[in-house]
Amino acid sequence: MSDLIVKGFKKLSTAVVADVFRRMGYPQQVMEPTILPIVDGWKLCGRAFTHANLPARKGDKSLLRSENEWKAGDVIVESYWGAWGFNYAIGAELKGCAGAVIDGSYRDIPAHKEQLPNFPVF
């Protein structure tokens, strides 16, 4: 997705985007309603970088490989078996990612709120 398209999407409400996708034949293009921002009011828009972090086998480096592929503007959308942590958030922010949506636990919310107040995590 080009930056111009992302910029256009940022002007729209989530409800409008979801309705248009549904009308185009892409139903259920919204998040589970229980996935919320750790800070009220955060919004997030960008290219989705999806990853399923399943239980790792000894020596598995798939999470590290995915981190190396994050690009500026990406929204990390991750199914996480375990606990996503502050170190991942720092790395993502340093790479210029727009934020993260984690389907799993996040163990460092107080530190995140204090030290990364402009990096949205849901």
Side-chain angles (χ1 to χ4, degrees):
M1 184 183 299
S2 76
D3 291 338
L4 188 58
I5 293 171
V6 172
K7 189 175 180 180
F9 269 96
K10 284 183 179 181
K11 296 176 184 176
L12 302 172
S13 74
T14 303
V16 167
V17 172
D19 287 349
V20 169
F21 276 128
R22 185 176 43 76
R23 283 286 228 169
M24 292 174 62
Y26 299 99
Q28 301 174 344
Q29 298 297 309
V30 296
M31 288 190 317
E32 159 66 41
T34 60
I35 298 176
L36 301 170
I38 62 173
V39 173
D40 287 340
W42 270 347
K43 294 183 179 190
L44 190 53
C45 183
R47 296 174 308 274
F49 182 99
T50 60
H51 183 253
N53 184 21
L54 302 174
R57 295 182 179 166
K58 187 173 182 177
D60 183 5
K61 305 275 192 236
S62 67
L63 182 59
L64 296 175
R65 280 195 306 272
S66 71
E67 286 182 64
N68 290 333
E69 295 174 13
W70 294 344
K71 295 181 181 70
D74 283 353
V75 174
I76 300 158
V77 180
E78 184 148 7
S79 175
Y80 205 93
W81 289 37
W84 209 70
F86 188 57
N87 290 336
Y88 294 125
I90 290 171
E93 186 188 49
L94 288 173
K95 287 189 172 217
C97 294
V101 178
I102 310 301
D103 184 7
S105 60
Y106 184 17
R107 64 178 187 209
D108 302 312
I109 292 173
H112 187 111
K113 287 179 176 180
E114 181 182 318
Q115 297 180 41
L116 296 174
N118 298 314
F119 185 76
V121 171
F122 289 67

